[in-house]
Amino acid sequence: MADWRQAFTELVDSRGPALVRYARLLCGDDARAADLVQEGLLRVFRRARVSGDLEKLEAYVRRAILNRYLDEHRRERLWRSKRHLVATADITASTTDAADTADLVRTALAALSPRQRACVVLRFYEDLPVADIADALGCGEGTVKRHLSDGLARLSTRLDLTQEGARP
């Protein structure tokens, strides 16, 4: 029992802030990012057998965070398609002007579809090659390339950038 506690403590102490940053890039919200990290940790550490390899554990937690993020968006999309049957008032979130680059990027990322956002974050934040992104998302490399292309095009218009510095 002490093995998983030690592995958990080491992972949270050494990689906790990086996991929260990763989740924040995916979801765009600090509180939701913390929840995603907690749920990812719970999903990985609820198993009886947990190895002490921190790299593998971090990879499992990141995968659990990504899966949870995508699952939430699937549920939201389903709810949006059904909510008109229940409620008539449309709630709109107010947006604020971004004061710095980080806020601008988060706002631009929020405009992407969940798959585009996941592809862009995995490619440019996690620095994964297209093949690994395809494996992580369970789709083909061509699909990943299309999501990256569409996502980068939307980001470049929102951020007023050219595609010269972007990696495919």
Side-chain angles (χ1 to χ4, degrees):
M1 176 159 346
D3 291 338
W4 75 265
R5 288 182 184 188
Q6 181 181 1
F8 179 84
T9 303
E10 287 179 26
L11 179 66
V12 171
D13 288 346
S14 65
R15 300 301 299 157
L19 291 170
V20 172
R21 285 191 303 272
Y22 170 68
R24 187 181 308 124
L25 281 174
L26 283 173
C27 69
D29 179 65
D30 291 340
R32 206 163 147 217
D35 288 344
L36 283 172
V37 171
Q38 285 181 346
E39 290 173 13
L41 288 167
L42 178 66
R43 286 177 185 234
V44 170
F45 282 92
R46 74 177 171 202
R47 294 189 180 101
R49 295 181 210 146
V50 174
S51 76
D53 185 2
L54 288 183
E55 287 182 22
K56 284 184 180 179
L57 286 173
E58 182 181 1
Y60 292 142
V61 172
R62 285 179 184 264
R63 179 63 187 252
I65 290 168
L66 176 63
N67 288 344
R68 181 65 179 165
Y69 166 74
L70 292 173
D71 288 346
E72 286 177 1
H73 276 281
R74 283 186 204 110
R75 278 190 216 104
E76 282 180 29
R77 186 177 58 227
L78 179 62
W79 169 245
R80 280 193 303 264
S81 71
K82 305 287 187 216
R83 80 173 169 197
H84 69 281
L85 300 172
V86 179
T88 57
D90 188 23
I91 300 171
T92 58
S94 63
T95 59
T96 59
D97 293 333
D100 60 7
T101 305
D103 285 341
L104 289 172
V105 171
R106 278 194 288 270
T107 303
L109 282 171
L112 300 179
S113 74
R115 287 281 177 167
Q116 288 173 350
R117 186 174 184 159
C119 286
V120 168
V121 168
L122 290 173
R123 178 68 180 111
F124 296 101
Y125 183 73
E126 289 293 311
D127 201 27
L128 292 179
V130 171
D132 290 349
I133 297 169
D135 287 342
L137 296 177
C139 62
E141 290 183 31
T143 303
V144 170
K145 290 178 184 178
R146 184 63 193 187
H147 286 310
L148 282 171
S149 175
D150 292 346
L152 290 175
R154 289 181 77 183
L155 285 175
S156 68
T157 13
R158 287 191 141 252
L159 297 174
D160 197 26
L161 301 172
T162 62
Q163 295 257 356
E164 292 174 14
R167 298 180 292 186

